[in-house]
Amino acid sequence: MTVNKLTASTSARGAPFYTPAQNPPAGTALDTGAEVPTLFTPIKLRDMTLQNRFIVSPMCTYSADDGHLTDWHLVHLGAFALRGAALTIVEATAVTPNGRISPEDSGLWQDSQIAPLKRIVDFVHSQGQKIGIQLAHAGRKASTLGPWHVTKGRHEVAGPDVGGWPDNLWAPSAIAWDEGYPTPHAMTVAQIQGLVQSFADAARRALQAGVDTIEIHAAHGYLLTEFLSPLTNQRTDAYGGSSFENRTRVLLDVVGAVRAAIPQGMPLLVRISASEWMAHDGGRPSWDLAESKRLALLLADAGVDLLDVSSGGNNPRQRIEVHPYYQADMAGEIRELLRRESKDMKIGAVGMISTAEMARSIVQEGGKLASCEQDGKIEVESGDGTKTRADLVLVARQFLREPEFVLKTAALLGVQVSGPVQYHRAPITKRRLRL
């Protein structure tokens, strides 16, 4: 460790470089009175305590080198931790080479990928913040080009000439994503069992890098989602078909394997698509909110500590009923069921969270919720305004627009929070935000 003798007593503990200790971490409410909104109160998931309810949602950036994270990721992810995000989750990280969405995606299928991740983990920890990683397999949506190489709004296949693997896609059934896309191979039972082991192995590598938590990606039409949906899983064995138990088997096996690979005190997260938005598809059964509620109860019993509720992504013909709370409302219904059934699994809401009032309203516990303005429209809670949709918010695009979203939210809500020590000359205040 590099030590500055003049300030050694205030250096961050355990960091392999000098930085002053962020004590308390940025984004910590300095006033603990009753007026502090739930958004800026601590929450505990097993042995991990977060000082506020903001999570940086995993965001693919298509900038890895053969699965290895780079300086880009250090700067990109470090910026959020520096500015008050209690938990930053590294983007979807493939557990096998053919599980990447693009050739430039993050991976954790080999030991050489541990050190670049650890470098980022060390920096986030030096800021007093927590870091997790999302483990994933892209299934039939793998081997596509990064978004700036394609026509906007399209998935386009990455061929062997650019490092792709269109002849080695996995799925529960041999059903292509769309016309013009490669037909994936229906996985064998041995491959399914190997996949479960790959998740566990990647989790162990993440532990070696020092992460605080792991999220399993079972959303957005990637491999584990494909197993959940009867539209994409038409197997006739123990892993599919019309049986809900069979279609959820792979995810529950993965959860069990990862839970067994990590310490008892480490929280485990799972992201799901609460609906694939295919109710319009001629009455064919599809994955919907009702099945997500059934799954949530199983995941709670399997040792999952937080369910990250997203939606869509499993079919190009989906019809999403978009409004500011279209996913948060589904998260709220699942949370209500869990509370009714006395399950302690926490709920995270994601999607279109772009204002201070919206973030506050989603997690606020008790009392009258403030109205929320979004795109010029005002939504006011009915009744006594005590409905809580989620326990934490996962924010993606707004962090890209405003890496300081946590600090700005605090200022707008009138909450005094700590900021980065090195930025003490430039505090974010409500007055300055209005200038």
Side-chain angles (χ1 to χ4, degrees), residues 241-429:
S242 60
S243 164
F244 174 85
E245 289 73 18
N246 286 357
R247 287 184 281 110
T248 57
R249 192 180 307 279
V250 175
L251 174 56
L252 292 172
D253 285 351
V254 167
V255 166
V258 173
R259 181 75 266 171
I262 63 178
Q264 181 65 25
M266 177 179 282
L268 178 61
L269 288 56
V270 172
R271 169 170 279 188
I272 64 167
S273 283
S275 171
E276 58 182 327
W277 299 103
M278 290 296 292
H280 64 280
D281 189 34
R284 290 195 298 165
S286 62
W287 186 263
D288 58 16
L289 181 57
E291 291 208 323
S292 289
K293 290 178 178 179
R294 291 180 65 187
L295 176 63
L297 296 174
L298 296 177
L299 292 175
D301 290 341
V304 174
D305 302 285
L306 184 140
L307 188 64
D308 173 1
V309 182
S310 188
S311 73
N314 197 41
N315 196 297
R317 286 166 288 282
Q318 64 187 12
R319 291 184 187 171
I320 300 177
E321 300 170 11
V322 178
H323 59 85
Y325 293 93
Y326 79 102
Q327 290 182 162
D329 284 347
M330 290 191 290
E333 288 196 38
I334 295 173
R335 185 179 187 273
E336 187 176 330
L337 170 66
L338 291 169
R339 298 302 176 272
R340 193 162 61 243
E341 297 294 327
S342 300
K343 306 293 185 183
D344 192 36
M345 184 171 66
K346 300 296 190 290
I347 293 294
V350 64
M352 301 182 73
I353 300 169
S354 58
T355 68
E357 289 290 356
M358 186 175 184
R360 174 169 71 168
S361 71
I362 288 171
V363 303
Q364 184 65 30
E365 296 176 354
K368 179 73 175 175
L369 295 188
S371 63
C372 174
E373 184 171 355
Q374 176 77 16
D375 295 332
K377 298 179 181 179
I378 302 292
E379 174 171 312
V380 181
E381 291 287 22
S382 60
D384 64 0
T386 58
K387 180 179 180 181
T388 305
R389 293 178 174 88
D391 301 284
L392 303 100
V393 291
L394 291 98
V395 179
R397 295 183 189 186
Q398 195 59 30
F399 271 123
L400 298 183
R401 300 181 189 104
E402 295 181 304
E404 66 282 358
F405 183 56
V406 174
L407 303 179
K408 283 189 173 181
T409 296
L412 290 169
L413 296 181
V415 181
Q416 185 180 4
V417 298
S418 57
V421 170
Q422 297 97 318
Y423 289 7
H424 68 280
R425 293 185 183 90
I428 294 175
T429 64

Side-chain angles (χ1 to χ4, degrees), residues 223-237:
L223 185 57
L224 294 179
T225 323
E226 295 163 22
F227 271 97
L228 294 175
S229 169
L231 294 178
T232 45
N233 184 349
Q234 298 179 10
R235 301 175 70 95
T236 57
D237 62 7

Side-chain angles (χ1 to χ4, degrees), residues 110-126:
Q110 57 186 348
D111 289 351
S112 62
Q113 293 159 340
I114 297 171
L117 173 60
K118 186 177 188 302
R119 184 171 178 235
I120 297 167
V121 169
D122 287 345
F123 177 80
V124 171
H125 285 167
S126 79

Side-chain angles (χ1 to χ4, degrees), residues 13-74:
R13 293 181 59 187
F17 46 81
Y18 173 74
T19 186
Q22 307 287 335
N23 188 21
T28 302
L30 301 179
D31 180 1
T32 58
E35 297 304 313
V36 175
T38 304
L39 191 61
F40 284 96
T41 61
I43 188 169
K44 188 171 184 180
L45 301 173
R46 296 201 184 221
D47 291 347
M48 182 179 75
T49 299
L50 306 178
Q51 80 273 20
N52 59 50
R53 306 300 180 95
F54 288 92
I55 300 177
V56 178
S57 189
M59 294 177 277
C60 292
T61 57
Y62 312 97
S63 298
D65 180 8
D66 190 29
H68 299 77
L69 299 179
T70 65
D71 286 353
W72 158 263
H73 299 92
L74 175 65

Side-chain angles (χ1 to χ4, degrees), residues 138-142 144 155 157 166 169-186 221 226 231-234 284 313-317:
R140 67 177 184 164
K141 294 175 73 174
T144 58
H155 296 285
V157 178
L169 303 185
W170 286 354
S173 302
I175 303 171
W177 160 253
D178 202 358
E179 293 182 11
Y181 288 84
T183 299
H185 299 286
E226 295 163 22
L231 294 178
T232 45
N233 184 349
Q234 298 179 10
R284 290 195 298 165
N314 197 41
N315 196 297
R317 286 166 288 282

